[in-house]
Amino acid sequence: MSQDDFIERVKSSTDGSSPELADDFEAFSKRCSYITINQEGGDDSFVELRERMESFIEGDESQNRHFYMAVPPTIYVTVSEQLRRNCYSKSGDSQIIPRLTRSSKIEKPFGRDLQTSVELHEKLAPNWKENEIFRIDHYLGKEMVKNIMTLRFGNPMFGALWDCNHIDNVQISMTEAIGTEGRGAYFDDVGIIRDVMQNHLMQLMALTTMERPGSFSAEDLRHEKARVLRLVPPLSTKHSLIGQFSKSADGKNPGYKDEESVPEDSHCATFCTSVAYVKNARWEGVPFILKSGKALDESKTEIRIQLKDTTDAMLKDTSNNQLIIRIQPDEAIRLKMNSKMPGLELRTVGTELDLTYSRTVQDPDIPEAYESLLLDALKGDYSDSVSEQELEASWKIFTPLLHEMEENKHFKPLEYAYGSEGPTELEEIRKPKTTMDRNFKELQGEVTSALVKTTRTANQISNEDLAFHRSINPDVDRLLEQQNQRLLALAKDLNKSATAGTGAKPPPLKNAESVDDGWRGIVDIVDNLLEKADACLDEFTGMIKKLSPSRKDEQIPPPSSKAPISRSMLRAKNIPKPQRLFKTLPANDATTPFKPLLQSKPNAIVPLEESVILGPDSEGSMHYTHPYQAEIAESEYPSSAYIQSDPIPYLPFESTTGTWVDTPEAVEEMLQELKKAKEIAVDLEHHDAYSYVGLLSLMQISTRKKDWIVDTLLPWREDLQILNEVFTDPSIIK
């Protein structure tokens, strides 16, 4: 293509032919230049590209360079390396904008699963920093998607209802009325989950469910989206309905497999509905129904938030309130509500508050999604760029489902007719499931898991100074009060159920504190209920046994006086945090696997660079292998360990003292003595409270003759890896 052909193509994509813009387009076209690059020719073409860019520099002005990479995935990393090596701006900012493609019109996901996504990040990392990568998800540039935050955080009436106490379910759907339209070969390699759900729908879900960010800066916004996505458990076929479209009922529209480029035995998903949950207090128990598909009855993208049923003690024929955010087509926000029907009788009718942009906003200037996103990229605003943490969290949700579909030879998607709503089994997902519909073992597992989590959380909360947190953060006070009320309601329901049909009187529960004061009485009530359940099970199985004496006549002890909170339970103030002084700061929000910090590997069988390998574990989570995995597998105890001998008495306690090790020099002196030992004992002490949980705080190392206490919370703690000279020595028994 020549320069003139290129300018004509630019003109055809703009209003450059209109008389009003003729002069502006003429000036703009002079800034446009076309160059052909032979990627296989090495650096020469990229040097030519750099020289062409430099020709636009006037004087000493700086030049920012943005590389919009619409290239095939097979050469993506190579091109990014060549751009960094030859075209990186020395006087301004440089940025790559990933858009992985098969052709210039077809987007491809950033990776195929969690592992390939992480690998792609690792290949980019040596050349491009995270703030130099602008990952485009064009849905983040759509006007109504940008409006979600304003709708949520700019209207207190919605903020007050935005939780599990008021919302019954959330439906996020992106459907198309057309099929693959000649793109079967591409789509068969991708499928609807990679094409739409892992990226677009996850971003819509994150914006809908995230907590209010500290600010609307890119850093805070992307942090909150990544944080909420990490709270979504991985999906599987148990949570999903997978389909593939066949020809339409009238036979006019072909089925997916009717395309020439699609294999006859293809199991590619063209439809998927999954039910996801967010495991936090705000969204506990609220199902998020994610739906996407091709060749359905209509094309639309919307978020439908359905509130819980209204009480109908006074009003009849009421329906659920719904907030509908229509993203495309016909951008709109609609609120379905109940109203009185005009007339003398008290009758309700469903009404709708409708904010359809095309009808309520005069000549709405709605920019194209890419127009908005590319402007953000040029301005250096990363608010609508997908972060590495968001991408990894979303892949963790869908990778197990994708692998299950691809590795299960017996998996076959359900058929649905072109132009229908989807597989007929979709109705089962829409129906609310009762406890009786569920597998008992599954329910038992969830209850057990919930009890464990509750116990752990209670232990953590007991160590916190809640009064302090309430005073500095109003949101904490509000959320704690909500949980207190929920706990009180649950305790009352439990008491009511446990004492139904008995003479037992539950302890009065007037407020949340009375649950704490009367917990002994509550435990007795539950114990009585469990005894009755045990008797029922025995009768049901035919194994009647003598029942325990009834406890209904027992006196329930009066509420005990509330124990005072000891000072040891309160958080001490101004405790210095040693981890802030480490050479490598702990990354508490990191989602990438932890990579060992070893700089050397003494007593190695396999070199260090070949030992630390990224790969999935048995549960599909990515992690690095243990640096000494090969050596551990090959290790053998010294022959002396197999010789029977009399026990060696330890030295009297009075005659031994511990040597404190808190300098690098002291570590070196200790190491020289340890090298002479035949046996070493090591005891590790970890913190178990506050922000130090899991940090190795002290290490005691002992030989037969001497003890050392090593402070492991000092800034130079990484230097302790020199102790591997003795820890990994196969001739020393540890």
Side-chain angles (χ1 to χ4, degrees):
M1 181 166 56
S2 66
Q3 174 72 12
D4 292 339
D5 294 335
F6 175 66
I7 297 301
E8 285 300 317
R9 176 170 290 192
V10 173
K11 182 181 291 187
S12 65
S13 301
T14 65
D15 293 331
S17 301
S18 64
E20 297 84 359
L21 297 177
D23 293 339
D24 291 337
F25 183 80
E26 180 67 22
F28 173 72
S29 64
K30 293 180 179 178
R31 305 288 296 177
C32 298
S33 179
Y34 181 81
I35 182 175
T36 300
I37 291 181
N38 179 13
Q39 182 269 333
E40 296 179 353
D43 290 351
D44 292 345
S45 291
F46 291 88
V47 171
E48 184 181 353
L49 173 61
R50 182 190 67 213
E51 293 173 348
R52 181 72 64 89
M53 290 188 293
E54 290 174 346
S55 68
F56 287 95
I57 300 177
E58 298 179 359
D60 297 330
E61 67 178 0
S62 62
Q63 185 181 68
N64 296 335
R65 297 174 182 175
H66 304 266
F67 303 103
Y68 186 82
M69 299 180 62
V71 298
T74 53
I75 63 172
Y76 183 79
V77 173
T78 303
V79 171
S80 69
E81 291 172 347
Q82 290 169 316
L83 287 172
R84 179 63 176 83
R85 189 164 54 247
N86 299 292
C87 300
Y88 196 83
S89 178
K90 297 180 180 179
S91 59
D93 297 329
S94 292
Q95 175 192 74
I96 56 172
I97 306 176
R99 186 176 187 263
L100 303 185
T101 65
R102 284 285 180 95
S103 71
S104 61
K105 297 180 181 179
I106 305 172
E107 290 197 12
K108 185 165 177 64
F110 203 83
R112 288 186 56 82
D113 55 16
L114 177 60
Q115 181 175 356
T116 55
S117 179
V118 171
E119 290 173 351
L120 189 52
H121 287 309
E122 290 189 334
K123 291 176 180 177
L124 290 176
N127 296 305
W128 299 94
K129 302 175 184 177
E130 176 65 15
N131 62 1
E132 293 177 331
I133 304 175
F134 193 101
R135 300 178 190 85
I136 278 189
D137 183 327
H138 73 274
Y139 261 68
L140 292 178
K142 292 185 178 294
E143 183 64 25
M144 289 308 301
V145 175
K146 286 177 170 287
N147 199 7
I148 292 176
M149 286 198 302
T150 303
L151 184 68
R152 283 191 58 187
F153 305 124
N155 298 285
M157 64 176 180
F158 291 133
L161 302 175
W162 217 266
D163 57 34
C164 60
N165 297 318
H166 302 92
I167 293 176
D168 182 77
N169 67 80
V170 179
Q171 303 168 38
I172 305 176
S173 58
M174 177 183 171
T175 61
E176 294 181 277
I178 60 173
T180 50
E181 308 300 312
R183 299 169 60 232
Y186 159 75
F187 196 85
D188 202 67
D189 184 50
V190 178
I192 196 68
I193 296 175
R194 291 187 177 96
D195 193 44
V196 172
M197 300 187 74
Q198 177 273 334
N199 38 56
H200 304 328
L201 293 196
M202 280 296 95
Q203 286 297 316
L204 296 182
M205 182 174 176
L207 289 169
T208 304
T209 58
M210 71 178 190
E211 296 296 321
R212 177 192 288 270
S215 69
F216 286 155
S217 67
E219 181 180 2
D220 289 349
L221 177 60
R222 301 201 301 175
H223 169 76
E224 288 299 337
K225 287 197 294 178
R227 188 170 72 157
V228 76
L229 289 176
R230 295 189 196 109
L231 299 175
V232 181
L235 297 173
S236 70
T237 52
K238 293 180 181 179
H239 315 102
S240 307
L241 190 67
I242 312 298
Q244 185 184 93
F245 69 87
S246 57
K247 64 181 180 180
S248 59
D250 58 10
K252 294 181 179 179
N253 295 303
Y256 176 70
K257 294 180 183 177
D258 294 332
E259 285 206 23
E260 294 183 1
S261 55
V262 175
E264 294 182 357
D265 59 348
S266 172
H267 289 172
C268 176
T270 63
F271 174 94
C272 179
T273 292
S274 294
V275 181
Y277 292 87
V278 180
K279 296 298 184 179
N280 64 7
R282 180 185 292 276
W283 297 109
E284 185 67 34
V286 177
F288 287 81
I289 303 172
L290 311 173
K291 176 183 175 183
S292 183
K294 292 186 174 293
L296 296 174
D297 55 337
E298 62 177 328
S299 294
K300 69 175 182 180
T301 301
E302 70 176 22
I303 302 171
R304 185 178 294 259
I305 301 167
Q306 182 166 305
L307 276 71
K308 291 186 175 181
D309 290 329
T310 57
T311 175
D312 59 356
M314 181 178 67
L315 299 174
K316 301 294 182 182
D317 302 323
T318 58
S319 57
N320 297 71
N321 295 149
Q322 293 187 34
L323 175 65
I324 303 169
I325 305 172
R326 173 63 70 88
I327 296 170
Q328 67 178 21
D330 302 324
E331 294 87 347
I333 299 172
R334 300 201 299 272
L335 179 62
K336 291 189 174 184
M337 55 188 295
N338 298 298
S339 180
K340 178 185 176 298
M341 181 178 289
L344 297 176
E345 296 182 9
L346 181 57
R347 297 174 59 190
T348 59
V349 61
T351 59
E352 191 172 271
L353 299 178
D354 188 352
L355 172 60
T356 299
Y357 276 27
S358 59
R359 294 200 296 265
T360 57
V361 180
Q362 185 177 6
D363 299 325
D365 182 16
I366 301 177
E368 292 292 332
Y370 279 102
E371 179 183 352
S372 174
L373 291 174
L374 291 177
L375 180 60
D376 288 342
L378 293 173
K379 294 191 301 184
D381 182 358
Y382 282 77
S383 301
D384 293 323
S385 167
V386 180
S387 70
E388 177 184 354
Q389 289 75 24
E390 293 172 70
L391 196 60
E392 183 170 338
S394 63
W395 273 124
K396 283 185 177 179
I397 297 170
F398 282 100
T399 292
L401 173 60
L402 290 166
H403 286 182
E404 185 179 352
M405 292 166 52
E406 294 167 352
E407 295 171 5
N408 184 356
K409 297 180 180 179
H410 302 289
F411 168 78
K412 185 178 180 181
L414 301 168
E415 282 194 4
Y416 64 95
Y418 194 120
S420 66
E421 291 187 356
T424 55
E425 291 81 357
L426 184 62
E427 283 301 319
E428 294 300 317
I429 290 183
R430 292 173 176 169
K431 293 179 182 177
K433 289 191 175 183
T434 65
T435 304
M436 298 300 294
D437 295 326
R438 305 179 64 187
N439 178 277
F440 176 76
K441 189 173 182 180
E442 178 185 349
L443 180 60
Q444 184 183 42
E446 290 186 12
V447 172
T448 302
S449 175
L451 286 172
V452 172
K453 291 178 180 178
T454 301
T455 303
R456 288 176 177 171
T457 302
N459 289 335
Q460 292 174 357
I461 291 176
S462 67
N463 287 327
E464 294 291 337
D465 184 355
L466 297 183
F468 169 73
H469 288 293
R470 283 178 185 266
S471 66
I472 65 172
N473 190 340
D475 288 339
V476 172
D477 185 51
R478 177 179 57 82
L479 291 173
L480 283 174
E481 188 59 33
Q482 287 181 0
Q483 294 308 311
N484 283 340
Q485 294 304 315
R486 189 178 180 202
L487 174 63
L488 182 61
L490 289 172
K492 286 181 177 179
D493 290 343
L494 178 63
N495 278 342
K496 183 178 178 180
S497 300
T499 56
T502 72
K505 295 183 179 180
L509 302 176
K510 297 180 180 180
N511 49 44
E513 285 73 20
S514 60
V515 176
D516 185 39
D517 294 338
W519 69 270
R520 290 183 182 274
I522 297 174
V523 169
D524 284 341
I525 292 294
V526 175
D527 187 39
N528 190 27
L529 179 64
L530 292 175
E531 285 185 5
K532 292 178 181 178
D534 187 35
C536 291
L537 287 173
D538 285 342
E539 292 179 8
F540 180 74
T541 57
M543 297 183 294
I544 305 298
K545 67 177 183 179
K546 185 178 180 180
L547 299 179
S548 308
S550 174
R551 302 181 60 180
K552 66 180 181 180
D553 297 326
E554 291 184 358
Q555 293 292 327
I556 298 175
S560 59
S561 60
K562 194 169 183 179
I565 299 177
S566 65
R567 281 191 169 274
S568 62
M569 295 175 65
L570 300 179
R571 179 187 292 277
K573 295 175 180 168
N574 300 322
I575 297 178
K577 294 180 170 57
Q579 63 266 44
R580 292 183 176 176
L581 302 177
F582 293 169
K583 289 182 180 178
T584 303
L585 296 178
N588 296 324
D589 295 326
T591 59
T592 54
F594 174 76
K595 190 172 184 179
L597 301 175
L598 286 185
Q599 298 173 356
S600 62
K601 186 180 175 184
N603 303 307
I605 298 175
V606 178
L608 177 61
E609 58 272 16
E610 299 176 16
S611 303
V612 183
I613 302 173
L614 182 65
D617 60 15
S618 58
E619 298 180 357
S621 299
M622 301 299 295
H623 69 101
Y624 287 94
T625 54
H626 192 292
Y628 278 91
Q629 183 170 311
E631 287 74 15
I632 293 173
E634 298 293 331
S635 65
E636 294 181 357
Y637 283 109
S639 57
S640 59
Y642 299 95
I643 300 175
Q644 185 172 353
S645 58
D646 295 331
I648 303 174
Y650 55 81
L651 297 176
F653 180 81
E654 301 80 12
S655 65
T656 60
T657 57
T659 301
W660 186 250
V661 180
D662 59 355
T663 66
E665 294 77 15
V667 173
E668 183 63 38
E669 292 178 9
M670 176 183 66
L671 176 61
Q672 298 309 316
E673 294 191 54
L674 291 175
K675 288 181 179 180
K676 302 173 184 178
K678 295 182 179 180
E679 299 163 309
I680 295 175
V682 182
D683 184 22
L684 307 179
E685 298 293 341
H686 294 79
H687 266 292
D688 59 357
Y690 307 131
S691 61
Y692 309 108
V693 172
L695 280 180
L696 178 63
S697 56
L698 291 175
M699 176 165 55
Q700 178 178 332
I701 306 176
S702 302
T703 64
R704 291 286 181 182
K705 298 180 180 180
K706 193 169 182 179
D707 303 300
W708 293 269
I709 307 297
V710 184
D711 185 349
T712 60
L713 290 178
L714 295 171
W716 46 268
R717 68 183 327 224
E718 287 185 33
D719 296 343
L720 292 174
Q721 61 185 276
I722 65 172
L723 295 177
N724 282 335
E725 293 181 31
V726 292
F727 288 168
T728 63
D729 188 343
S731 66
I732 300 177
I733 296 178
K734 271 69 69 176

